[in-house]
Amino acid sequence: MNPTIELLKSHRSIRKFKDQPLPEGALEEFIRAGQSAATSNQVQAYSIIRVTKPENREQLAELAGGQPWIKACSEFLVFCADMKRATEAAERAGADVVRGMTEQLLVASIDTALMAQNVVTAAESQDLGICYIGGLRNNPEQVSELLKLPDHVFPVFGLCIGYPDHNPEVKPRLPVETILKQDYYDDSQDEAQVAAFDDTMHQYYLARTGGKKDSTWSQELKPLFTSKLRPHMKEFLEKRGFGVK
Amino acid sequence: MNPTIELLKSHRSIRKFKDQPLPEGALEEFIRAGQSAATSNQVQAYSIIRVTKPENREQLAELAGGQPWIKACSEFLVFCADMKRATEAAERAGADVVRGMTEQLLVASIDTALMAQNVVTAAESQDLGICYIGGLRNNPEQVSELLKLPDHVFPVFGLCIGYPDHNPEVKPRLPVETILKQDYYDDSQDEAQVAAFDDTMHQYYLARTGGKKDSTWSQELKPLFTSKLRPHMKEFLEKRGFGVK
């Protein structure tokens, strides 16, 4: 183990931030580190909107389902999958471009996520805290309008960055042996391992809430798959030119 | 800048590996660092197949379009989006689960990518080199069969890990100001910035190939969008239970 691996393993989401700006030039440095991540065929299928206007931060906090840390953090970034720039560049070079392919949706989403995770590691290496905001996908249409996103660009998630003003525990994860499989997908041990992880999470919730939260991993997952989470996503993406064919 | 940011910025894909195994326990350590990445609502929607059988490595190298480094690297991992484990856990806890949502495809793809990028950073922090293999999506059906992936699991990309046996240059990226936008998506400067980046890549290709590769970023992008890259992806994903609705 080395300090970088220690850093990665110490991640937890931060939702309370000090009222303290980032050092001059730090954000650009983090984004440059983000861009250094691998990108499918050098496509770099992403853009980042840095949201500085307080009224827009406020609206995004609402649109994400009431997440006030979007207002309070020092920097709020919206990471967008962007197939506009690269396809237009190819078009100007003479390509007869095909858009709307599901593969392009994957490329752009993956490119964006790899890049963002490097931004996160860079920020955390400078003692900053972060929180991903998947909740922007609650209302992707309104988020897109607010940020004036054109077709072939969509908001994948937001990211709060700032100096932590609390110190939450690192959350447990599934055992390595549950997610790492040798040569073939074999989930014959999954049920038992998940049951053990349910116990781990049960203890974690009890300890963290002084006995109030009496739940498990499996229990907490229930509403995620029963309420048809974000049922608008297919139509929204297709309207924006993603995953049409 | 600090050593972690230096490390992130020094990334380049490695395609020639020494015949040298990873230290005992290192792979598990990298994966544990990967799991420490943020995950949407703690879902952890991923599995990793560690491919050790030489005949399977050989077949994957072919299926990825002829990428012999898949055979030569010390470790080859297939990162899979996995909605099976979490939905089955929720089901056992009593949920009336809905599968096939496009939002679940996004959650699983993003979770997988964030996790993988941490694995990469951890490996690179130990002087290892890596290469992502998106080419597995050339033949996702055959890859899935070979690795015995069930429904609600699909191969997002592969990853070669090993000790570098060459030292390629870091590839240029678009300027930060092209991808970072303030408050709104404004691409009025994109065309000029892309033209400048085309020059950068032109010089890079000429220098790297002793004048043989006379191309630009835009030129290199052309075949990616003209040949309907991986047109099977929509049907494949739907068949596997992703992005159906």
Side-chain angles (χ1 to χ4, degrees), chain A residues 1 29 35 37 42 44 48 50 52 82 84 103 137 173-174 179 181 183 185 187 217 230, chain B residues 1 29 35 42 48 50 52 82 84 103 137 147 173-174 179 181 183 185 187 217 230:
Chain A
M1 196 131 85
E29 186 69 11
Q35 291 182 270
Q42 177 79 338
Q44 306 172 70
I48 299 173
R50 178 188 181 214
T52 64
D82 187 339
K84 185 174 193 286
E103 167 66 10
R137 297 198 303 274
R173 293 289 191 260
L174 286 162
I179 68 146
K181 296 165 190 296
D183 289 310
Y185 191 95
D187 61 354
W217 185 61
R230 300 171 189 149
Chain B
M1 195 130 86
E29 186 69 12
Q35 291 183 270
Q42 178 81 335
I48 298 174
R50 178 188 182 214
T52 65
D82 187 339
K84 185 174 192 287
E103 168 65 10
R137 297 197 305 274
L147 306 178
R173 292 290 190 258
L174 287 162
I179 68 145
K181 296 165 191 296
D183 289 308
Y185 191 96
D187 62 353
W217 185 61
R230 299 170 189 151

Side-chain angles (χ1 to χ4, degrees), chain A residues 190-224:
Chain A
D190 268 35
E191 191 170 338
Q193 288 169 351
V194 164
F197 185 64
D198 275 343
D199 284 342
T200 304
M201 287 304 297
H202 189 203
Q203 294 309 317
Y204 168 83
Y205 289 135
L206 289 176
R208 208 188 49 159
T209 61
K212 270 183 226 156
K213 187 165 178 175
D214 184 13
S215 189
T216 66
W217 185 61
S218 298
Q219 288 291 342
E220 292 296 302
L221 291 175
K222 283 174 66 178
L224 296 181

Side-chain angles (χ1 to χ4, degrees), chain A:
Chain A
M1 196 131 85
N2 60 38
T4 299
I5 295 180
E6 292 270 18
L7 175 75
L8 296 173
K9 290 174 70 175
S10 67
H11 165 77
R12 65 275 193 273
S13 292
I14 295 298
R15 293 186 176 85
K16 286 181 192 165
F17 295 100
K18 290 184 184 153
D19 183 14
Q20 185 183 338
L22 270 57
E24 181 76 26
L27 182 67
E28 289 72 16
E29 186 69 11
F30 301 158
I31 290 173
R32 172 54 70 193
Q35 291 182 270
S36 302
T39 158
S40 180
N41 287 293
Q42 177 79 338
V43 168
Q44 306 172 70
Y46 39 65
S47 287
I48 299 173
I49 314 288
R50 178 188 181 214
V51 185
T52 64
K53 289 186 194 291
E55 64 272 25
N56 287 8
R57 291 266 203 114
E58 183 125 16
Q59 238 184 298
L60 290 170
E62 283 309 305
L63 290 170
Q67 302 204 41
W69 34 90
I70 293 177
K71 281 185 285 182
C73 58
S74 303
E75 294 286 348
F76 185 68
L77 307 176
V78 180
F79 285 78
C80 303
D82 187 339
M83 267 294 166
K84 185 174 193 286
R85 180 182 307 113
T87 54
E88 289 185 353
E91 235 161 19
R92 285 193 299 270
D96 183 16
V97 160
V98 180
R99 291 189 178 88
M101 307 297 295
T102 294
E103 167 66 10
Q104 293 168 3
L105 168 64
L106 286 183
V107 163
S109 303
I110 296 165
D111 259 26
T112 302
L114 299 182
M115 190 263 283
Q117 188 55 23
N118 263 16
V119 171
V120 163
T121 300
E124 290 183 336
S125 79
Q126 298 279 56
D127 300 321
L128 288 151
I130 67 97
C131 185
Y132 277 101
I133 308 290
L136 291 187
R137 297 198 303 274
N138 290 349
N139 292 289
E141 193 90 42
Q142 293 88 324
V143 170
S144 300
E145 271 165 39
L146 188 69
L147 306 179
K148 303 187 179 169
L149 304 185
D151 285 351
H152 309 292
V153 178
F154 81 91
V156 183
F157 43 67
L159 188 74
C160 300
I161 307 179
Y163 289 98
D165 202 19
H166 66 155
N167 189 18
E169 268 180 80
V170 172
K171 226 176 192 171
R173 293 289 191 260
L174 286 162
V176 172
E177 54 270 29
T178 308
I179 68 146
L180 178 62
K181 296 165 190 296
Q182 182 120 341
D183 289 310
Y184 307 107
Y185 191 95
D186 170 7
D187 61 354
S188 57
Q189 303 305 310
D190 268 35
E191 191 170 338
Q193 288 169 351
V194 164
F197 185 64
D198 275 343
D199 284 342
T200 304
M201 287 304 297
H202 189 203
Q203 294 309 317
Y204 168 83
Y205 289 135
L206 289 176
R208 208 188 49 159
T209 61
K212 270 183 226 156
K213 187 165 178 175
D214 184 13
S215 189
T216 66
W217 185 61
S218 298
Q219 288 291 342
E220 292 296 302
L221 291 175
K222 283 174 66 178
L224 296 181
F225 307 121
T226 41
S227 60
K228 294 201 179 190
L229 184 70
R230 300 171 189 149
H232 50 265
M233 199 50 68
K234 188 178 173 70
E235 196 186 332
F236 165 74
L237 286 176
E238 289 179 357
K239 201 171 145 189
R240 294 281 163 165
F242 283 95
V244 176
K245 47 198 166 190

Side-chain angles (χ1 to χ4, degrees), chain B residues 151-164:
Chain B
D151 285 351
H152 308 293
V153 178
F154 82 91
V156 183
F157 43 67
L159 187 74
C160 301
I161 307 179
Y163 289 98

